[in-house]
Amino acid sequence: MRAATILLTAAVLLTGATACSSSDDDKPAVSKASTTQADETSPSPSPTPSPEKLKVGDTASISTSDAKFTATVLKYQDKGIKGVPEMLSAGQKWAALEVKVCNTGTDGFGISPLVWSLAYADGARIEAAGMNAGELPQPLYPMDAKVKVGDCVRGYIAFQVPQAGRPERVLYSPDSLDEPAEWWVK
């Protein structure tokens, strides 16, 4: 019995030492932003929480070695957008994504609409059109801008999408993230 107790204690201590020796501090982290404070009596979260599924309207808190910020997909719209009809291929229409990025860190950073894309269930991905002409929803998301500490940038990004179907997810893939943050489109 005593040997079993000693082995159990050693296993618990070894598990604790192994868990603390990980160096994931410099890995990017994406989590759903919370508007409520954690209950002080609840146990601390798991060291490797499973990523929550974000949906349009949710805010992701993103922390990388270079920046700390939030990103929100405010709206996906694919009806009634005129854009520049001459630029569309047969079977396409314009869609717009309204997004907002806020700098919650200690250093400024740059943003671009070109890191946002739409993912379809069949594996197709559509990149931002990278344009600011025509009759697109306003305000437009800037092509290249700096976001100072405590500031936010909000605007619409244009996409040329198939007339049939809708994207499954919105992907946000800045270079600083190993995997994109994603929001599910209803």
Side-chain angles (χ1 to χ4, degrees):
M1 178 74 170
R2 182 170 182 197
T5 304
I6 291 172
L7 286 174
L8 180 60
T9 304
V12 169
L13 290 173
L14 183 57
T15 301
T18 304
C20 293
S21 67
S22 175
S23 63
D24 287 339
D25 293 341
D26 57 347
K27 284 195 169 193
V30 178
S31 64
K32 185 174 178 180
S34 174
T35 56
T36 59
Q37 293 182 348
D39 182 5
E40 292 180 22
T41 60
S42 65
S44 61
S46 165
T48 55
S50 61
E52 293 189 49
K53 287 191 175 185
L54 299 168
K55 57 186 185 266
V56 172
D58 288 342
T59 299
S61 291
I62 302 171
S63 182
T64 70
S65 60
D66 298 331
K68 186 175 178 185
F69 55 99
T70 61
T72 308
V73 174
L74 299 168
K75 179 192 230 181
Y76 173 78
Q77 177 182 347
D78 63 358
K79 294 185 183 357
I81 300 172
K82 293 183 182 176
V84 181
E86 305 82 46
M87 290 183 68
L88 294 174
S89 297
Q92 289 188 324
K93 64 181 176 180
W94 287 105
L97 190 63
E98 184 180 15
V99 299
K100 182 176 183 179
V101 173
C102 295
N103 186 342
T104 59
T106 57
D107 294 314
F109 58 85
I111 54 102
S112 166
L114 302 178
V115 297
W116 294 89
S117 62
L118 303 175
Y120 285 75
D122 67 359
R125 294 221 179 148
I126 298 179
E127 296 180 349
M131 61 171 281
N132 57 12
E135 295 181 43
L136 297 170
Q138 299 292 319
L140 294 174
Y141 197 77
M143 286 305 291
D144 187 25
K146 298 286 184 193
V147 186
K148 68 180 186 175
V149 175
D151 201 7
C152 295
V153 175
R154 178 185 64 83
Y156 284 92
I157 301 169
F159 295 88
Q160 296 171 322
V161 300
Q163 285 181 351
R166 287 175 63 96
E168 179 182 64
R169 296 166 288 138
V170 173
L171 304 177
Y172 180 57
S173 307
D175 288 338
S176 58
L177 293 181
D178 295 331
E179 293 183 9
E182 53 185 55
W183 289 259
W184 291 84
V185 178
K186 292 182 181 180

